Amino acid sequence: MDYRKYRAGFVEKLACAAVGAGAAGMAAWLFYRSVWGMLLFPAAYLVCVKKYCALQKEKRKEQLLMEFKDAMQSASAALLAGYSVENAWRETEKELLELHGEKGLMAAEVRWMNEGVRMNEPLERLLLEFAARSGCEEIESFAEVFAFAKRSGGDFVRIMQTTVQKLAGRIEVEREVATVLAGKRLEGRIMEIMPLAILAYLQVASGEFLDALYGSAFGVAVMSIAFCCYLAAIKWSEHILDIQI
């Protein structure tokens, strides 16, 4: 599995199409009061799929990092118990299956590495291949240090414990940042909905008040500019709250 990419399934694409159709229909009614506004559907669908895939990819990355931390803890404990590196990896597979089950991401990866080792492939090369697919800087750094230590005879236990400490620190910081930003994200969602709610209220309560903005080239131009400004404001808000650790 290439964790740097996420490919939506058929059902997921159908759900995105439904959301995109709803968004395009809302925009057609509020900003253009015309069925021609549904021409926005392809763009709305593509944006929805892109955002959904990005969200799922980020969730999968977080899950992978959490399970990788568990794998490092299990492997370091096995090494302290006197196992060789390869045997410690087999013990790690058993631990991950108990912790996360058959659907665990790291359990599948460690199983793949163990099968490669049985075929006489070097563990460090398999780990480097996994790190390249993971798209996680911490895993890539660990794999490079592990490969160097494997060739020169380094302290694997210390390397794994250091990796666990760094991952635990990053996960804790990310949780703290997410807690702090939760309120701001909610405020942002409310601010995004308010212009649409006001426009919908005016459409229902005083539709004739907005008649000048519909059915003419000037009105379409004004509403198009307003729509673009609204989308730009949403994009700006998301950019401000997108804090990378």
Side-chain angles (χ1 to χ4, degrees):
M1 183 185 298
D2 191 342
Y3 299 93
R4 296 167 296 182
K5 302 175 183 178
Y6 184 88
R7 193 180 299 274
F10 178 72
V11 175
E12 293 170 316
K13 288 181 179 179
L14 281 181
C16 290
V19 173
M26 182 67 69
W29 176 55
L30 292 177
F31 289 92
Y32 298 105
R33 202 186 287 174
S34 170
V35 70
W36 290 104
M38 288 300 295
L39 292 173
L40 296 170
F41 169 70
Y45 168 71
L46 292 176
V47 170
C48 184
V49 171
K50 181 179 179 181
K51 286 186 173 294
Y52 176 80
C53 289
L55 179 61
Q56 293 302 314
K57 184 175 68 173
E58 191 63 27
K59 286 183 177 180
R60 189 172 62 183
K61 180 180 176 181
E62 292 175 2
Q63 179 185 350
L64 182 65
L65 282 174
M66 289 287 294
E67 294 184 13
F68 181 75
K69 179 174 70 70
D70 294 337
M72 292 300 98
Q73 288 176 329
S74 176
S76 62
L79 288 170
L80 285 173
Y83 287 90
S84 66
V85 175
E86 286 74 13
N87 288 333
W89 227 244
R90 296 188 183 98
E91 291 300 314
T92 298
E93 179 183 346
K94 298 175 184 177
E95 288 286 338
L96 291 175
L97 286 173
E98 292 179 2
L99 285 173
H100 305 289
E102 292 287 344
K103 295 185 178 179
L105 299 177
M106 274 306 302
E109 293 294 344
V110 173
R111 184 187 305 115
W112 169 75
M113 293 181 207
N114 287 333
E115 290 174 356
V117 170
R118 294 188 189 100
M119 299 292 291
N120 295 321
E121 294 188 41
L123 177 59
E124 59 270 24
R125 185 174 68 81
L126 296 171
L127 189 57
L128 285 169
E129 290 180 6
F130 161 64
R133 290 185 288 105
S134 71
C136 299
E137 182 180 348
E138 293 83 357
I139 299 178
E140 292 174 1
S141 298
F142 168 78
E144 292 172 0
V145 175
F146 182 89
F148 178 79
K150 193 76 163 56
R151 292 192 298 267
S152 59
D155 187 350
F156 293 108
V157 175
R158 184 175 180 181
I159 292 171
M160 291 181 180
Q161 289 177 343
T162 301
T163 302
V164 169
Q165 291 174 359
K166 290 182 178 179
L167 285 175
R170 170 173 176 168
I171 292 169
E172 184 64 25
V173 171
E174 286 181 342
R175 287 178 177 174
E176 291 177 1
V177 171
T179 302
V180 172
L181 291 180
K184 297 299 181 182
R185 292 187 188 279
L186 178 59
E187 293 176 7
R189 295 291 178 265
I190 294 174
M191 293 300 294
E192 291 172 8
I193 294 173
M194 285 304 296
L196 300 180
I198 293 172
L199 192 55
Y201 172 76
L202 291 175
Q203 288 270 35
V204 174
S206 305
E208 64 281 358
F209 180 75
L210 301 175
D211 286 343
L213 295 175
Y214 302 100
S216 65
F218 174 77
V220 170
V222 170
M223 295 304 286
S224 295
I225 293 173
F227 185 52
C228 290
C229 291
Y230 173 71
L231 295 179
I234 292 177
K235 186 67 176 178
W236 188 21
S237 173
E238 291 178 350
H239 178 71
I240 291 173
L241 293 175
D242 184 18
I243 298 176
Q244 301 294 331
I245 306 300

